[in-house]
Amino acid sequence: MKTLKDILYKVAIDALNGATDIAVNHLHFDSRKIVANDVFVAIRGSVSDGHDYIEKAIELGATTVVCDVFPEVLHPKVTYVRVKDTNAALAYMAANFYDNPSQKLKLVGITGTNGKTTIASLLYQLFKKAGFKVGLISTVKILVNDEEFKATHTTPDSLTINYYLEAMNAAGVEYCFMEVSSHGIHQKRTEGLHFVGGVFTNLSHDHLDYHPTFAEYRDVKKTFFDFLPKTAFALSNADDKNGVVMLQNTKAIKRTYALKTYADYKALILENQLSGLLLKINDNEVWVKLIGTFNAYNLLAIYGTAVELGLESLEVLRLLSELESVSGRFQFIVSAQNITAIVDYAHTPDALENVLNTINDVRTQNEQLITVVGCGGNRDKAKRPIMGGIASEKSDKAILTSDNPRDEEPETIIAEMEAGVAPHNFKKVLVITDRKQAIKTACQLAHPNDIILIAGKGHETYQEIKGVRHDFDDMKIVKETLEQLGK
């Protein structure tokens, strides 16, 4: 059993009241989980403040409290640790509690606005195909080699991260690929972790409900690279104007990838079809099953990461050709009537535009492109009119609908999307608040050879309304609808 002194290693302590040689059963930031001899870490969240639950935690058996302000009354049998940042303290304590599991495998973090899930998931696929035991921490799921667990956040809390990393150690995992969100970085969830590499994908309009400015959003991403060790690699997209910013102060080995500019890893798109891409990567051609310019960038980042981790370049190209698309990321079916339905997670203006551009690049223009799209509630409102404008401009028909409205009224969100539709596109737009009905209508409007894009939710199997998650699966609904219409 660990002692409090063991798990406080590397924690910046401002003040201490009590003993540190006491045994620790576990540590929690949720007071409801506390039992005898646990450590309670008081976290200030957006909804509640852990400092309000210190007394409750002590009643349940906490013998140590970590906080940024001492309570007025200090219990004589409780140790109080005051720190500047309880999020950072939790991260280091979690790593220490689980014996610093990130140091016992090769952990690579992927950050950026778009592409994180695809890159992390396909790196997992590629290294599995190469014969390694691999771990994945992503928006879609957590994988400990072959064992799957449900994911609740893009980047989980630091206790959860270290718990699964320890499970990966026990399973003999050699490599782990992890999505690193701006929320996760800002809330210090990745502190105390040892990364052997970091990948930057791109930066566009997102999360400005959380970050007050785009500059802060960018700078938070940058801190991930600032703290990489000099033994790690930092692989950045040189075609993104923020790519060079990410590498400015890093001590890590700097590497770049690009389609348009000079880079360590360079690719050229030779063919772009609905069946796949023909790429020329560093003078070698490879056919892959994924499509679109955005996937060319993703595959190039995967190639660069694999080579930096020591895999042989020609073997990496062979493995790239075998990769399958990720759930909810440009996932498509073709119905019996030859209608193509595509489900994609695109929930930012940049991602939506990339997906629509990709479809328009490979279509013949003799068919309709019908887009179903919404925007999430309680999130960045500024992107709503932009997404409404993009969907209506780049589609033959656009159906504006509900996404995850959360605590907002769906009609309000849709009205804000409509505000971005240019006058010449008014006739192309339908408003159907019920998402299931919107998808069914798109299927009914489609003729043979037409293309339907359902954007925004991708892999998600729920719709969140007023705090309740209802079963909802875009792909399941569109598949069932097209099958029924086919009969």
Side-chain angles (χ1 to χ4, degrees):
M1 185 176 279
K2 296 278 193 306
T3 66
L4 178 59
K5 185 179 179 180
D6 293 332
I7 67 170
L8 286 175
Y9 179 62
K10 287 188 177 181
V11 174
I13 299 170
D14 282 352
L16 180 69
N17 186 290
T20 60
D21 58 352
I22 57 175
V24 169
N25 174 52
H26 213 298
L27 65 155
H28 294 290
F29 58 90
D30 183 342
S31 62
R32 295 167 296 185
K33 295 180 179 179
I34 295 289
V35 297
N37 301 318
D38 279 353
V39 176
F40 175 62
V41 184
I43 302 290
R44 295 188 189 274
S46 57
V47 177
S48 62
D49 184 351
H51 291 76
D52 296 335
Y53 299 93
I54 288 174
E55 284 300 317
K56 180 67 176 175
I58 293 169
E59 286 174 19
L60 291 171
T63 50
T64 302
V65 171
V66 180
C67 50
D68 57 37
V69 176
F70 278 162
E72 289 182 11
V73 179
L74 301 182
H75 293 257
K77 294 183 179 180
V78 175
T79 297
Y80 295 85
V81 183
R82 195 180 79 210
V83 297
K84 280 191 176 67
D85 188 333
T86 53
N87 282 297
L90 177 65
Y92 284 106
M93 292 170 76
N96 292 330
F97 183 81
Y98 287 108
D99 292 323
N100 293 289
S102 63
Q103 296 180 5
K104 300 168 190 172
L105 46 69
K106 292 179 179 177
L107 178 64
V108 177
I110 299 98
T111 194
T113 305
N114 301 311
K116 297 187 296 295
T117 301
T118 297
I119 292 170
S121 301
L122 292 182
L123 277 165
Y124 170 88
Q125 257 193 57
L126 187 146
F127 275 75
K128 283 287 285 181
K129 288 178 182 291
F132 296 100
K133 290 187 175 181
V134 194
L136 173 70
I137 300 175
S138 80
T139 305
V140 179
K141 57 192 167 185
I142 294 170
L143 288 165
V144 178
N145 200 29
D146 295 321
E147 195 172 358
E148 184 175 326
F149 303 89
K150 191 174 181 180
T152 56
H153 294 82
T154 300
T155 306
D157 65 80
S158 47
L159 270 173
T160 302
I161 292 170
N162 282 280
Y163 170 82
Y164 282 112
L165 289 175
E166 185 198 41
M168 290 178 197
N169 289 168
V173 164
E174 297 171 73
Y175 297 90
C176 176
F177 302 102
M178 174 178 168
E179 289 187 54
V180 178
S181 69
S182 62
H183 292 67
I185 300 166
H186 189 255
Q187 294 170 11
K188 312 294 175 66
R189 298 180 208 162
T190 56
E191 292 209 11
L193 298 178
H194 177 74
F195 289 91
V196 300
V199 180
F200 171 70
T201 62
N202 50 64
L203 211 62
S204 65
H205 192 112
D206 198 20
H207 298 309
L208 297 189
D209 55 314
Y210 182 86
H211 301 285
T213 65
F214 185 84
E216 188 200 271
Y217 176 48
R218 177 200 64 210
D219 292 345
V220 166
K221 294 279 191 189
K222 181 180 177 296
T223 59
F224 173 69
F225 296 92
D226 291 347
F227 290 102
L228 285 176
K230 64 181 179 181
T231 52
F233 67 86
L235 177 62
S236 186
N237 180 357
D239 284 343
D240 189 286
K241 62 183 178 182
N242 296 289
V244 67
V245 176
M246 298 296 146
L247 301 180
Q248 278 174 354
N249 301 318
T250 187
K251 298 184 289 290
I253 300 160
K254 298 177 183 179
R255 293 287 185 265
T256 55
Y257 66 97
L259 296 181
K260 301 172 185 174
T261 58
Y262 174 80
D264 298 295
Y265 299 102
K266 190 88 167 64
L268 182 66
I269 299 174
L270 302 178
E271 288 183 34
N272 184 10
Q273 303 172 13
L274 202 53
S275 56
L277 283 168
L278 180 62
L279 298 174
K280 190 174 186 180
I281 299 179
N282 285 12
D283 297 323
N284 290 295
E285 291 185 13
V286 60
W287 176 263
V288 293
K289 299 173 188 175
L290 284 73
I291 78 165
T293 302
F294 65 97
N295 270 324
Y297 279 106
N298 292 338
L299 290 160
L300 195 50
I302 292 162
Y303 174 84
T305 300
V307 172
E308 291 298 322
L309 288 172
L311 270 61
E312 198 276 321
S313 58
L314 290 178
E315 174 65 1
V316 175
L317 288 174
R318 185 187 70 78
L319 295 168
L320 282 181
S321 69
E322 297 179 3
L323 298 180
E324 303 285 346
S325 62
V326 179
S327 173
R329 269 64 178 178
F330 215 93
Q331 189 178 7
F332 69 92
I333 59 164
V334 180
S335 75
Q337 313 97 294
N338 205 33
I339 295 169
T340 300
I342 300 164
V343 171
D344 194 271
Y345 189 54
H347 63 289
T348 66
D350 189 53
L352 182 63
E353 187 166 23
N354 282 338
V355 171
L356 286 168
N357 284 343
T358 295
I359 296 169
N360 283 317
D361 284 345
V362 298
R363 60 186 284 217
T364 65
Q365 305 299 324
N366 293 319
E367 66 286 282
Q368 286 189 108
L369 169 55
I370 305 167
T371 298
V372 178
V373 65
C375 288
N378 304 111
R379 297 293 186 268
D380 183 3
K381 294 185 178 185
K383 68 183 181 184
R384 293 173 185 173
I386 302 170
M387 291 183 68
I390 290 168
S392 57
E393 184 65 37
K394 295 183 175 289
S395 312
D396 297 300
K397 283 190 178 71
I399 302 176
L400 305 185
T401 188
S402 184
D403 190 283
N404 290 318
R406 299 184 176 88
D407 297 321
E408 289 193 66
E409 294 302 324
E411 292 82 4
T412 303
I413 299 170
I414 294 169
E416 290 173 357
M417 293 182 71
E418 276 190 284
V421 177
H424 65 272
N425 289 325
F426 286 165
K427 289 183 179 179
K428 295 161 66 174
V429 175
L430 288 174
V431 171
I432 301 174
T433 305
D434 184 285
R435 189 175 181 91
K436 187 172 185 178
Q437 189 55 51
I439 294 170
K440 287 186 171 183
T441 301
C443 295
Q444 289 162 350
L445 291 172
H447 300 112
N449 301 316
D450 285 352
I451 300 169
I452 300 168
L453 169 66
I454 304 164
K457 288 174 57 59
H459 64 283
E460 293 177 352
T461 54
Y462 63 86
Q463 187 175 32
E464 188 175 335
I465 304 168
K466 303 293 183 185
V468 179
R469 289 190 172 188
H470 305 268
D471 288 344
F472 200 98
D473 187 327
D474 284 354
M475 180 56 82
K476 184 180 177 183
I477 291 167
V478 73
K479 192 181 289 186
E480 288 176 354
T481 305
L482 288 173
E483 284 174 0
Q484 287 167 4
L485 290 171
K487 292 175 183 176

